[in-house]
C-alpha cells in the first residue's frame, strides 16, 4: 500500500486516539502505573498525542495532517474548497475507531479490575463535568473556534514579514500539540474538550461494540454534543478567519 492522504489521515488519527485515549485509560483505570495521575497528565498526553499523530500522518502521505473533521471543515469554509471532506473525514473516523480498539487491547486486564462504568467510558468518549446540553455545546463550540484560529495562526506565523517567511519546517506539529495542551488546560474542564467529532464518535462506537466487562451505557443521549459543537465551531472559526483575513 502506497502512502496517500487517505492513509495518512487514517493512520495519523489512529495514533492520535491510541495515545490520547491511552493516557486517559492510564489515569482513570484501576491498577495501572498512572492511576490517579490527574488532569495535567491527561492534557499533556493529549498534546503529545496530537504532535505524534501529525508527524505520523505526514509520514504516511497526508501533508495536511488534519486528523480532525473540525480542522478539515474549518479550512474548507476558510478557503471555500470542500474537496477534501469526502476523503479525509471517513479516513479520520476509521482511524479513530481503530485507535480506540487498540486502547482496549492495550489495557485489556484493567477493564475488569475497574468497577466504575463512567471511568471505562471516559477512556473512549468525552462527558460533561456538569450535564447541561446547552452549556456543554457552547463549551465545545468556543474551544473548537480557538483550535481553528490557533492552527491557522500557527500556519501563518512569521508570514507577515516576507523576509522572515513561515515557521521552520517540522516545527508546526510541536506548536499544534501545545495549542491542544493549552485548550485542555484552560477550556477542557467542562466537557473533556472533544474539539474533534471523530475523536468522540469513533471511540464511542468502539465502546458500544467491544466486549468490555460491565461497561454500562455508551451515553448516546450526550453523543451529539461533541459532534455538533466542534462541527459548528469549525464552521464559525473558518468564516471568522475568512472575514478578517481573506
Amino acid at each position: 500500500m502506497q502512502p496517500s492522504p487517505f492513509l495518512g489521515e487514517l493512520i495519523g488519527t489512529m495514533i492520535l486516539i491510541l495515545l490520547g485515549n491511552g493516557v486517559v485509560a492510564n489515569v482513570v483505570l484501576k491498577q495501572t502505573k498512572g492511576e490517579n495521575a490527574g488532569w495535567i497528565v491527561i492534557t499533556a498526553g493529549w498534546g503529545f498525542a496530537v504532535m505524534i499523530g501529525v508527524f505520523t500522518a505526514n509520514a504516511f502521505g497526508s501533508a495536511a495532517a488534519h486528523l480532525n473533521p473540525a480542522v478539515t471543515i474549518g479550512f474548507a469554509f476558510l478557503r471555500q474548497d470542500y474537496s477534501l471532506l469526502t476523503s479525509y473525514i471517513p479516513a479520520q473516523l476509521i482511524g479513530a475507531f481503530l485507535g480506540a480498539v487498540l486502547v482496549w487491547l492495550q489495557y485489556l486486564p484493567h477493564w475488569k479490575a475497574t468497577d466504575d462504568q463512567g471511568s471505562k467510558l471516559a477512556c473512549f468518549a468525552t462527558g460533561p463535568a456538569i450535564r447541561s446540553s446547552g452549556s456543554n455545546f457552547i463549551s465545545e463550540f468556543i474551544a473548537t473556534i480557538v483550535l481553528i484560529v490557533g492552527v491557522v495562526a500557527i500556519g501563518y506565523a512569521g508570514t507577515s514579514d516576507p523576509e522572515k517567511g513561515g515557521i521552520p519546517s517540522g516545527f508546526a506539529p510541536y506548536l499544534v500539540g501545545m495549542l491542544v495542551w493549552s485548550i485542555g488546560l484552560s477550556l477542557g474542564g467542562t466537557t473533556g474538550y472533544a474539539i474533534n467529532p471523530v475523536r468522540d464518535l469513533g471511540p464511542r462506537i468502539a465502546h458500544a461494540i467491544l466486549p468490555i466487562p460491565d461497561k454500562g451505557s455508551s451515553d448516546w443521549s450526550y453523543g451529539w454534543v461533541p459532534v455538533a459543537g466542534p462541527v459548528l465551531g469549525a464552521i464559525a472559526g473558518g468564516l471568522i478567519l475568512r472575514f478578517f483575513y481573506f
Side-chain angles (χ1 to χ4, degrees):
M1 185 178 294
Q2 296 297 314
S4 68
F6 182 91
L7 184 64
E9 290 294 321
L10 191 157
I11 301 297
T13 306
M14 183 182 73
I15 294 298
L16 165 68
I17 299 302
L18 171 60
L19 297 179
N21 278 347
V23 72
V24 177
N26 191 29
V27 170
V28 306
L29 295 180
K30 295 298 182 182
Q31 300 180 35
T32 70
K33 296 293 187 179
E35 184 179 353
N36 296 321
W39 186 246
I40 302 298
V41 171
I42 289 176
T43 55
W46 268 106
F48 298 145
V50 169
M51 177 187 70
I52 299 301
V54 170
F55 279 124
T56 302
N58 290 161
F60 280 86
S62 176
H66 289 175
L67 314 183
N68 181 347
V71 175
T72 305
I73 291 167
F75 274 103
F77 276 83
L78 170 61
R79 297 169 176 167
Q80 300 292 285
D81 178 2
Y82 306 94
S83 60
L84 297 179
L85 296 179
T86 56
S87 59
Y88 274 35
I89 293 177
Q92 293 157 358
L93 181 58
I94 295 168
F97 175 83
L98 294 176
V101 173
L102 291 177
V103 172
W104 169 68
L105 288 172
Q106 176 71 20
Y107 286 92
L108 202 57
H110 297 273
W111 307 110
K112 186 175 181 179
T114 303
D115 294 327
D116 185 65
Q117 295 176 343
S119 295
K120 295 175 185 179
L121 178 59
C123 301
F124 294 87
T126 61
I130 297 176
R131 187 174 292 261
S132 173
S133 295
S135 296
N136 302 150
F137 172 86
I138 290 170
S139 292
E140 289 290 342
F141 181 81
I142 292 172
T144 307
I145 291 176
V146 174
L147 174 68
I148 300 304
V149 172
V151 167
V152 172
I154 289 168
Y156 281 85
T159 57
S160 58
D161 184 345
E163 294 183 359
K164 294 181 179 178
I167 59 175
S169 176
F171 192 55
Y174 295 96
L175 297 178
V176 174
M178 291 178 68
L179 169 64
V180 172
W181 192 5
S182 177
I183 291 172
L185 289 173
S186 302
L187 306 176
T190 54
T191 62
Y193 70 117
I195 58 173
N196 180 340
V198 301
R199 171 265 175 274
D200 190 277
L201 180 58
R204 198 180 293 270
I205 293 171
H207 178 272
I209 294 174
L210 291 171
I212 302 166
D214 193 27
K215 63 183 175 182
S217 169
S218 299
D219 197 12
W220 288 105
S221 63
Y222 177 78
W224 69 272
V225 173
V227 173
V231 167
L232 294 179
I235 293 171
L239 292 177
I240 289 168
L241 287 163
R242 184 170 180 81
F243 177 79
F244 280 103
Y245 294 107
F246 294 87

